[in-house]
Amino acid sequence: MVCQACFAQGPGPLCEHCRLGLRRAPERVLPGGLRLITAYEHSGTAARLVHGLKYRGLTWYADLVSEELASRAPRVPVVPVPRAISRLVKYGVDPAREIASRIARINGVPMIDLLRHPLHTPRRAGGDHGLSAVSLHTKSVARAPIVVVDDVVTTGATLLSAVAAIGSDQVVAVIAANDAFSRSTLDGHVT
């Protein structure tokens, strides 16, 4: 078998070195009291795995992270933050949807495609975080309560756009596979 993070030959989906490189990220409370549930810090092994999901369609990471997050998620419908259509076509995968569908299946709750896919957005992941996040819009009115799911939270701008579109009073928690705490502006300041 090949390690999903470093592609070295090994006995399982992660070699010992990469497995030890996964660092759990703490939960946080966001402005307005919204709970942020995260699995891993966006570094090392977790960063390589989420990039494999985002850019190569290696969905094994969605399985791993969903198992980690599902038990900590409220048992309510989940809403994925949609990937821009231009990237969905280019890479063939919607990472947040992959994670959300697995969490929904594990927890026995519906996944709702509530947010519209933007046509295109400037590249922010691994790029210029000074760019404005896309303004997301809903397809219909949210039925509370829901959990919003995304693959990575770096500055938090896309996630906050999703929560604003849905209405923060409808969202009970947000879930991210990876969290870049040191660069986040979710708590009102850059650390």
Side-chain angles (χ1 to χ4, degrees):
M1 188 168 246
V2 174
C3 175
Q4 298 288 305
C6 71
F7 304 108
Q9 293 290 344
L14 279 182
C15 68
E16 184 70 11
H17 174 75
C18 290
R19 189 180 59 74
L20 293 172
L22 287 171
R23 286 181 285 227
R24 297 208 188 277
E27 289 188 17
R28 291 188 282 154
V29 176
L30 307 179
L34 194 59
R35 180 177 166 207
L36 174 62
I37 304 166
T38 56
Y40 303 109
E41 291 180 7
H42 190 62
S43 63
T45 300
R48 288 190 302 274
L49 289 171
V50 81
H51 288 168
L53 173 61
K54 290 171 80 83
Y55 305 117
R56 292 189 305 278
L58 301 176
T59 59
W60 177 83
Y61 183 60
D63 296 331
L64 171 73
V65 80
S66 299
E67 290 289 335
E68 168 71 27
L69 294 168
S71 65
R72 297 167 34 209
R75 300 286 196 275
V76 299
V78 296
V79 174
V81 174
R83 191 170 206 182
I85 292 172
S86 59
R87 286 187 184 75
L88 184 56
V89 169
K90 182 174 181 175
Y91 299 110
V93 67
D94 187 336
R97 182 179 175 75
E98 292 289 332
I99 296 165
S101 67
R102 286 161 172 80
I103 291 171
R105 182 178 33 78
I106 292 166
N107 285 348
V109 299
M111 182 186 76
I112 303 169
D113 287 315
L114 183 63
L115 295 164
R116 295 182 189 278
H117 286 270
L119 183 58
H120 180 73
T121 59
R123 185 169 188 267
R124 294 173 46 84
D128 184 355
H129 295 291
L131 295 172
S132 297
V134 66
S135 179
L136 293 170
H137 303 283
T138 58
K139 296 176 183 178
S140 62
V141 177
R143 305 255 191 288
I146 60 169
V147 172
V148 175
V149 178
D150 205 355
D151 58 337
V152 177
V153 173
T154 50
T155 66
T158 303
L159 185 63
L160 291 175
S161 176
V163 171
I166 294 167
S168 61
D169 57 325
Q170 309 287 40
V171 180
V172 295
V174 292
I175 294 177
N178 286 18
D179 175 33
F181 182 75
S182 64
R183 292 186 299 209
S184 178
T185 58
L186 286 171
D187 55 1
H189 65 281
V190 177
T191 56

